[in-house]
Every structure is written in structure tokens, then in C-alpha cells.
């Protein structure tokens, strides 16, 4: 099987774009730190101006009702993380220009195994107010010292004139900030100028992306291309391209690296890649949510069911880190009550179209595979119960990328169950991008240090305790990517990291923690957490308004904007 060839006009456009970038590399190399920071500030202004058009374009291709609270997802995962990343990168450059480390002012700690941990959230007063109750650490790989972290933070910006050629970014089609954030990381972390090939699903965002990236396009450091897989194939094999970064599935990765079909499978088996240049990637996988047994109130059961419904149904399940399997204890006295709440949360979440290509087919396959244990819930959603732990089928090994959720029961009390859940997640689930844990404060106290040890034992790039791993995606200073160590022939959730606005050298994982209960209910249990139901919850009634206000605030942080944000968030 051979991929179709692009047209003559498309090949000319590819050659022209790459030649422009070869020349643009010299212009990028000539930009000192001050100029690179100024480019970020100009991009921030352009993003703020284009934000409304950005969200409109995303809503159009995802076919969301214009007045739906779900529009908030497009604000929070589109302009918002780009604006926060631009600001955080600008802060790192300011530190480097002043002969400081980007991590100066960030607190350091220790994680299990002697790891160095950098606390990246909260950092500013704005973090403490807007994300009260949430925190995040980047755990460095074992053996890296605090002194090394301080000395090496900055990556390629430590030598800005030492550029590394032309790279390709194959853009994602699901979360609209991904292509822009990947371009920024290639330029600022790796010192590569970039040809960005859009996923055809997002072609409607071309004009918006051109506005946002205009400062870099004008410099000659970025070029945008559209087209089908044939254009992408031609581009990544171009002799002047030095590196490829992609977001997608492991199957797409293998088709790019080894070629499609039986011939590609043969090359993979023989260890002879068709693509003769380095590749980094973020590829998703099967993300579990591990629910530890404990004594929960009815309100706790209902809230955490909504939490898991969000982990599954945010963006209709078309997230690389969407939860796919809920792991619960078969010995938990409240298991059946919790699952009843989970069914209700899945059924009551707002309906939305299955916009991503192949979604209906993947959902139908899940229904056919699991038969009577798979039930239709609400509009196009599937819940698979009673997975056989000895033979769970494809639920643990095949990413559905659709609104399909499964439940896996494992035996034991909190301690026994946690040990078995960690083993299962590490050894039986495909991918290592993200894992969620949910635990009652009483259970956390009972487990003590064993919980931190379990987090350290999990081999995932982002681990969230009483939060969704998506919070790690939205934290500009956190690293995002698979657990280190994958190879081209066993790529799992990919290689390398992105985001990482502190430009840390050698992050192993991001660990996010959140409140078990939202405000004001948390106050009734003696917690000072101020965060209400998060705006990314699919059940948040004011998500669209809050998302818009957060993006506006990210563009220009100021005290005067806070009252409206708080008022909208509390009504959610």
C-alpha cells in the first residue's frame, strides 16, 4: 500500500514553504532573547484579538450550539492555554536575559526515590486565587540534582544562536491549542523553525492561526500548510526537514515512521524505519481513573461521578487523555451506589455531535465487542460494565477516542486495591500519558506515605490526584507527554515532552493534586479551599462565560477582572 502523492501545486507549496524556512532559520538565529520575548508579547496581543474568531471557528467544526455552556471548553482549551504559555515563556526569557534561571522563585521539594520536585502551581497570586486548592509539581528524572535543574533550565535558549534546522509539526485535530503550543515548543525549547501542517479537521482555523502566528510568519520562522495525509507524508520526507513532531495515535505514528499497511508492519518488525529523521510525539492511550474505596457522602458520590463523566465526555471523549476505564474495588460497600451516580452523570451531560472522524464506527465496535455488558446511555454514549479482569478485551489496550467508558473491578480494601490497581495500570493498560486517582481525605490519611509511593510507582507522564490530568495540560509551566523511555518500535504514548514553559531539562512526570470537594461544601468539612465546581466540568452551567473571562484575564491579568470571574464561577 502506497500513500497518494500530492499534486504538483501542493509539492510546489511544500518546497516553497521549506525553502522559506531554510532562509528564515538565519533570521531566527539572529534574534536575541529580548527579540524573542517581544515576539511572544506580540503573539499574545494577536491571540487576544483573535480569540473570539478562534472560538467561533472551533464551535463551527465541532458543531456545538452557540449558546451552549460547552462553548466554554473551546475558550479554556483554545486561546486560554496559549495565552498562559506565552506569558510563562516570556517570564523564562526574562530570567535568562537577566542571567537568572527560569526556576528562580519556584520552590523545590523532594519526591519518592530521591527525585527533585519543582512546584509549578500555584506560583503567582493569580494562581492562588483562581486555582485555589490545586497544585502541581514536575518531578525530575532520578539522579538529576537541584543544581542541575537550575543550571540547565532554558534548554536551547541557553544558546539562542545555535539553531537546529527546519522541523515539522503535524497538528492535532481535537484540542485547538495543541498546534500552536507545539510550534512554540519547537522554536523556543529546541531552536527549530517550523512547518506546521494542520489536521484537515481544523482547516477552518487556518486564518486564525495565521493571525496568532503572524509575528513568527513575518520573521520567516513559521509556515502553515493544509492538505490530506499525502501532503503530510511528502512534507516529513522532504530532504531539508531535520525533525518531526506529531500528535495523534500510535497507529498514525507507525504509518508515518514505517509506512502504511503490510509493508509498514514489515519494516517495523525488521526495525527499519522508512522515515530517516528523529521523531517526537504525543499519542494518547488508554487512560485509567482509579477510584479508591472509602466512606463517601451522597454528595461526594454525585460530585465525583460528574468528575469522571467530565474526564470521559470533555470534548466528547476526543482527548488523548480522556479517561477510558474506571477502576473500582469490588469490595467497596458503596460501589453500586457510585456506579448508579456515574450512569446518571453520563446520561445527564449535555448532548453533542460526534464530530471527530470515525467516532461512530469506534463506538459501534465497542458495542459489538462487549455485547450485553455494554449499555447505551444518553446520546451516543456507551458504558461497559463487568469487565473480566482475567480477559478484559480491548478496553485496556485500544484507545476508543469516542464517548465509551468501561468499568474494571479489582478486589481488596484501600491498601490492597491500590497496589493491584497500580500494577494493572502499569502492566495491562496501553499508553502512559495520564492516570487519575480519586481518594477521600480519610482514605488518604489512612494510606499515608503509601499513597505517594504508589504515585511514584505509576509510570505515567501526568498523574492527577482528586483532579483531572487535563489540569496538567492547562498548566503552562508543567511538562506534558508520555512517561520517558519509549522507543520508535514500542512508542506507547510517545516520546519527548511539550509545554514545559520553564524549559526544564529531564522532567519525568507532572503530579497534579486537587480538592476532593468543591467550595462551599469543602468549608463544611474544615477545608479552606475556595474553588467551586471547575469550569471544565461538562456539568458546569456557566462554563462559556467563565471560559471567556479566564481567557481575557490570561491576556491581561488585573485585579479588576477578578470579581466577574468569581461571580461566574460560583454560579457554575
Amino acid at each position: 500500500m502506497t500513500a497518494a502523492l500530492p499534486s504538483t501545486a501542493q509539492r510546489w507549496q511544500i518546497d516553497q514553504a521549506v525553502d522559506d524556512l531554510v532562509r528564515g532559520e538565519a533570521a531566527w538565529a539572529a534574534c536575541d532573547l529580548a527579540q524573542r520575548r517581544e515576539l511572544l508579547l506580540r503573539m499574545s496581543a494577536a491571540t487576544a484579538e483573535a480569540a473570539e474568531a478562534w472560538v467561533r471557528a472551533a464551535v463551527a467544526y465541532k458543531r456545538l450550539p452557540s449558546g451552549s455552556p460547552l462553548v466554554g471548553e473551546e475558550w479554556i482549551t483554545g486561546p486560554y492555554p496559549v495565552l498562559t504559555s506565552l506569558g510563562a515563556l516570556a517570564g523564562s526569557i526574562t530570567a535568562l536575559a537577566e542571567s537568572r534561571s527560569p526556576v528562580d522563585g519556584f520552590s523545590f521539594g523532594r519526591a519518592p526515590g530521591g527525585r527533585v520536585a519543582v512546584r509549578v502551581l500555584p506560583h503567582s497570586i493569580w494562581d492562588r486565587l483562581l486555582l485555589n486548592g490545586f497544585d502541581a509539581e514536575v518531578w525530575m528524572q532520578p539522579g538529576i540534582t537541584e543544581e542541575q535543574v537550575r543550571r540547565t533550565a532554558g534548554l536551547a535558549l541557553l544558546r539562542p544562536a545555535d539553531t537546529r534546522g527546519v522541523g515539522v509539526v503535524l497538528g492535532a485535530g481535537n484540542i485547538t491549542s495543541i498546534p500552536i503550543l507545539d510550534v512554540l515548543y519547537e522554536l523556543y525549547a529546541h531552536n527549530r523553525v517550523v512547518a506546521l501542517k494542520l489536521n484537515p479537521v481544523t482547516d477552518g482555523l487556518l486564518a486564525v492561526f495565521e493571525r496568532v502566528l503572524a509575528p513568527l510568519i513575518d520573521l520567516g520562522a513559521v509556515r502553515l500548510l493544509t492538505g490530506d495525509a499525502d501532503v503530510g507524508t511528502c512534507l516529513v520526507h522532504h530532504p531539508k526537514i531535520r525533525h518531526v513532531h506529531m500528535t495523534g495515535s500510535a497507529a498514525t505514528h507507525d504509518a508515518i515512521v514505517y509506512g502504511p499497511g503490510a509493508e509498514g508492519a514489515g519494516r517495523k518488525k525488521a526495525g527499519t524505519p522508512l522515515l530517516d529523521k528523529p521523531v517526537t510525539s504525543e499519542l494518547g492511550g488508554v487512560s485509567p481513573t482509579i477510584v479508591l474505596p472509602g466512606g463517601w457522602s451522597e454528595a461526594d458520590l454525585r460530585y465525583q461521578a460528574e468528575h469522571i463523566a467530565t474526564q470521559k465526555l470533555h470534548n466528547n471523549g476526543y482527548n488523548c487523555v480522556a479517561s477510558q476505564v474506571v477502576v473500582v474495588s469490588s469490595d467497596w460497600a458503596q460501589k453500586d451506589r457510585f456506579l448508579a451516580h456515574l450512569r446518571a452523570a453520563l446520561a445527564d451531560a449535555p448532548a453533542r455531535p460526534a464530530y471527530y472522524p470515525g467516532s461512530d464506527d469506534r463506538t459501534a465496535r465497542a458495542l459489538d465487542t462487549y455485547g450485553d455488558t455494554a449499555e447505551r446511555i444518553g446520546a451516543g454514549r456507551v458504558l461497559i460494565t463487568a469487565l473480566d479482569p482475567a480477559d478484559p478485551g480491548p478496553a485496556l489496550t485500544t484507545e476508543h477516542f469516542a464517548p465509551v467508558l468501561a468499568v474494571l473491578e479489582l478486589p481488596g480494601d484501600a491498601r490492597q486495591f491500590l497496589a493491584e490497581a497500580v500494577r494493572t495500570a502499569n502492566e495491562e493498560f496501553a499508553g502512559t500519558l495520564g492516570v487519575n486517582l480519586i481518594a477521600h481525605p480519610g482514605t488518604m490519611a489512612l494510606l499515608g506515605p503509601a499513597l505517594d509511593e504508589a504515585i511514584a510507582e505509576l509510570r505515567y507522564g501526568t498523574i492527577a490526584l482528586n483532579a483531572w490530568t487535563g489540569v496538567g495540560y492547562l498548566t503552562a509551566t508543567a511538562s506534558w507527554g508520555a512517561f520517558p523511555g519509549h522507543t520508535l518500535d514500542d512508542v506507547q504514548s510517545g516520546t519527548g515532552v511539550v509545554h514545559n514553559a520553564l524549559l526544564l531539562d529531564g522532567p519525568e512526570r507532572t503530579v497534579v493534586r486537587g480538592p476532593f470537594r468543591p467550595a462551599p461544601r469543602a468549608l463544611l468539612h474544615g477545608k479552606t479551599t475556595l474553588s467551586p465546581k471547575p469550569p471544565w466540568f461538562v456539568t458546569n452551567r456557566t462554563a462559556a462565560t467563565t471560559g471567556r473571562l479566564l481567557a481575557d484575564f490570561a491576556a491581561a491579568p488585573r485585579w479588576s477582572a477578578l470579581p466577574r470571574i468569581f461571580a461566574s464561577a460560583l454560579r457554575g
Side-chain angles (χ1 to χ4, degrees):
M1 177 179 176
T2 303
L5 295 176
S7 68
T8 300
Q10 288 172 322
R11 288 198 300 271
W12 182 88
Q13 290 174 337
I14 292 168
D15 288 340
Q16 184 66 49
V18 174
D19 287 344
D20 286 350
L21 290 167
V22 169
R23 291 187 292 270
E25 183 182 0
W28 180 244
C31 284
D32 61 18
L33 291 176
Q35 291 169 313
R36 294 189 186 196
R37 182 177 183 277
E38 177 61 25
L39 288 166
L40 293 172
L41 298 181
R42 289 168 55 195
M43 280 188 63
S44 183
T47 302
E49 293 174 0
E52 186 76 41
W54 183 329
V55 172
R56 279 201 309 270
V59 166
Y61 89 81
K62 296 184 181 184
R63 306 198 302 278
L64 295 174
S66 60
S68 170
L70 295 175
V71 173
E73 292 181 359
E74 303 313 314
W75 284 101
I76 293 170
T77 63
Y80 172 77
V82 170
L83 287 162
T84 56
S85 291
L86 290 166
L89 277 172
S92 292
I93 291 178
T94 297
L96 292 169
E98 295 174 353
S99 299
R100 297 184 290 109
S101 172
V103 297
D104 286 353
F106 287 80
S107 61
F108 282 70
R110 306 299 292 182
R115 294 171 173 86
V116 169
V118 184
R119 192 184 192 199
V120 297
L121 180 77
H123 179 63
S124 69
I125 184 62
W126 312 124
D127 294 339
R128 291 178 173 86
L129 291 171
L130 294 174
L131 287 167
N132 189 270
F134 289 87
D135 68 77
E137 294 177 332
V138 176
W139 291 9
M140 304 303 293
Q141 295 181 37
I144 295 177
T145 66
E146 181 177 334
E147 187 278 329
Q148 286 176 289
V149 174
R150 294 186 184 278
R151 175 169 46 82
T152 59
L155 297 177
L157 286 184
L158 296 171
R159 295 170 299 278
D162 183 14
T163 53
R164 301 177 184 178
V166 182
V168 167
V169 166
L170 298 177
N174 55 341
I175 297 297
T176 60
S177 56
I178 293 176
I180 304 296
L181 294 176
D182 289 352
V183 166
L184 288 174
Y185 203 70
E186 285 295 290
L187 278 160
Y188 283 84
H190 297 302
N191 232 358
R192 282 188 283 266
V193 294
V194 182
L196 169 60
K197 158 65 173 63
L198 297 187
N199 186 303
V201 176
T202 64
D203 280 353
L205 281 156
L206 175 62
V208 169
F209 287 173
E210 287 175 335
R211 290 172 64 184
V212 170
L213 293 167
L216 296 170
I217 294 171
D218 293 344
L219 181 69
V222 170
R223 287 293 182 268
L224 273 64
L225 293 160
T226 60
D228 292 327
D230 53 344
V231 173
T233 299
C234 183
L235 180 60
V236 301
H237 287 282
H238 195 286
K240 295 179 182 178
I241 294 298
R242 296 264 300 274
H243 181 272
V244 175
H245 177 79
M246 65 162 291
T247 300
S249 68
T252 301
H253 168 274
D254 287 352
I256 290 169
V257 173
Y258 295 102
E263 292 181 7
R267 291 190 193 95
K268 181 178 178 180
K269 186 175 181 179
T272 54
L274 186 64
L275 190 64
D276 60 349
K277 55 201 68 176
V279 181
T280 54
S281 53
E282 190 262 77
L283 304 175
V286 177
S287 291
T289 296
I290 299 169
V291 181
L292 275 66
W296 296 16
S297 70
E298 196 72 8
D300 295 336
L301 293 167
R302 184 168 52 251
Y303 177 78
Q304 293 300 345
E306 290 183 29
H307 193 180
I308 294 177
T310 292
Q311 295 172 10
K312 173 73 270 180
L313 296 179
H314 183 281
N315 199 31
N316 208 36
Y318 312 132
N319 289 333
C320 291
V321 76
S323 179
Q324 182 163 304
V325 179
V326 182
V327 186
V328 299
S329 171
S330 56
D331 297 318
W332 184 23
Q334 295 177 295
K335 177 200 67 178
D336 291 340
R337 188 65 187 148
F338 173 72
L339 293 179
H341 277 290
L342 181 58
R343 283 186 179 86
L346 293 171
D348 294 344
R352 65 175 93 199
Y355 76 86
Y356 207 86
S359 175
D360 289 339
D361 291 340
R362 292 188 293 274
T363 300
R365 280 199 298 273
L367 284 165
D368 290 343
T369 300
Y370 286 98
D372 293 341
T373 62
E375 56 184 291
R376 292 182 180 272
I377 296 179
R381 295 154 193 168
V382 173
L383 179 65
I384 302 167
T385 55
L387 286 178
D388 181 356
D391 183 19
L396 276 59
T397 56
T398 301
E399 183 181 15
H400 292 306
F401 216 66
V404 177
L405 185 66
V407 177
L408 175 68
E409 298 183 18
L410 300 174
D413 61 16
R415 195 175 298 273
Q416 297 163 335
F417 168 77
L418 177 59
E420 181 60 14
V422 168
R423 185 204 65 78
T424 302
N426 282 341
E427 298 179 10
E428 299 185 28
F429 279 69
T432 64
L433 186 62
V435 58
N436 312 283
L437 297 96
I438 297 176
H440 187 282
T443 304
M444 294 166 61
L446 175 69
L447 291 170
L451 183 56
D452 284 339
E453 294 292 341
I455 290 172
E457 191 176 342
L458 284 162
R459 296 191 294 270
Y460 285 82
T462 298
I463 300 169
L465 174 61
N466 290 335
W468 178 33
T469 48
V471 178
Y473 176 91
L474 294 174
T475 302
T477 45
S479 63
W480 182 256
F483 194 77
H486 300 314
T487 58
L488 280 184
D489 61 348
D490 183 22
V491 74
Q492 296 283 322
S493 290
T495 58
V497 301
V498 289
H499 303 187
N500 187 28
L502 296 179
L503 302 172
L504 301 172
D505 187 11
E508 181 185 61
R509 70 184 84 193
T510 290
V511 178
V512 178
R513 294 178 174 87
F516 181 74
R517 303 179 179 95
R521 191 162 56 87
L523 299 173
L524 301 177
H525 294 269
K527 302 294 184 181
T528 57
T529 300
L530 300 179
S531 291
K533 180 187 292 186
W536 53 84
F537 267 43
V538 295
T539 52
N540 190 300
R541 294 169 295 180
T542 61
T545 301
T546 305
R548 179 194 294 268
L549 292 171
L550 286 171
D552 175 71
F553 181 85
R558 58 207 184 276
W559 289 101
S560 61
L562 295 179
R564 291 185 66 199
I565 296 175
F566 291 151
S568 179
L570 287 169
R571 291 195 303 269

